[in-house]
Amino acid sequence: MLGKTDESHRKTFFYYLTNTLEAARVGDWKLHVAKPRVSRESEETEKDVSVVPAPVIDDDVEVKELYNLRADSSEQHNVYDQHPEVVAMIMREIEQCRADIGDAFTDTKGAHIRDIGKVEDAHPLTTYDENHPYIIAMYDKNEVG
């Protein structure tokens, strides 16, 4: 992007959904450790089987899934049990990440996460000026579009 190199200096990529660490990728390997539980149960399905409700994402559940993305880019063949050394290596990276920035799934508060900022005597930084020319959206003007 800056003309220096196409390679990233990062060797590990972490996948978060909100504050939950769900997976990590190192090279061709991707290890999933948590996934959202998806449920389609509802009162409507109990009454009428023709009703298909939208999925409801519940709490996360622990998973043990390892994929070689070079050989299996669609993540269909879990090879977790066949490669314990890869799992251990990626889990070390995951534990370092959790210690650094946290993980809601394991209730780990990262050492480098700060609490939400609070401001005493908070007040707006800008004021409303009805005569300012940029307060009217262009689509609200009759002479536009």
Side-chain angles (χ1 to χ4, degrees), residues 31-98:
L31 177 64
H32 291 264
V33 292
K35 285 188 176 180
R37 179 189 346 246
V38 179
S39 168
R40 291 188 178 271
E41 296 299 319
S42 73
E43 291 180 18
E44 290 82 22
T45 57
E46 293 172 9
K47 296 175 189 171
D48 182 358
V49 293
S50 68
V51 174
V52 180
V56 176
I57 297 177
D58 245 347
D59 292 330
D60 290 307
V61 293
E62 181 179 14
V63 294
K64 296 178 178 180
E65 298 176 6
L66 178 68
Y67 301 99
N68 182 330
L69 299 179
R70 182 172 303 276
D72 179 21
S73 62
S74 60
E75 300 182 18
Q76 298 297 307
H77 306 286
N78 183 2
V79 294
Y80 183 93
D81 293 328
Q82 289 86 2
H83 297 280
E85 72 289 349
V86 175
V87 171
M89 178 265 298
I90 298 176
M91 282 305 299
R92 284 191 297 272
E93 297 287 328
I94 286 174
E95 291 306 324
Q96 287 178 354
C97 180
R98 285 175 171 159

Side-chain angles (χ1 to χ4, degrees), residues 128-130 132-143:
Y128 175 75
D129 179 358
E130 65 183 39
H132 193 277
Y134 297 110
I135 63 162
I136 300 172
M138 296 303 289
Y139 53 80
D140 287 339
K141 293 183 144 193
N142 292 333
E143 65 271 9

Side-chain angles (χ1 to χ4, degrees), residues 86-131:
V86 175
V87 171
M89 178 265 298
I90 298 176
M91 282 305 299
R92 284 191 297 272
E93 297 287 328
I94 286 174
E95 291 306 324
Q96 287 178 354
C97 180
R98 285 175 171 159
D100 185 28
I101 61 175
D103 178 17
F105 183 69
T106 58
D107 291 325
T108 304
K109 182 170 181 176
H112 296 103
I113 296 297
R114 63 176 176 80
D115 292 330
I116 292 175
K118 301 285 184 188
V119 177
E120 290 184 28
D121 189 32
H123 60 279
L125 299 176
T126 60
T127 58
Y128 175 75
D129 179 358
E130 65 183 39
N131 296 315

Side-chain angles (χ1 to χ4, degrees), residues 11-13 24-31 86 89-90 93:
K11 301 296 181 213
T12 306
F13 184 84
R25 178 178 177 173
V26 178
D28 294 338
W29 296 100
K30 184 174 179 185
L31 177 64
V86 175
M89 178 265 298
I90 298 176
E93 297 287 328

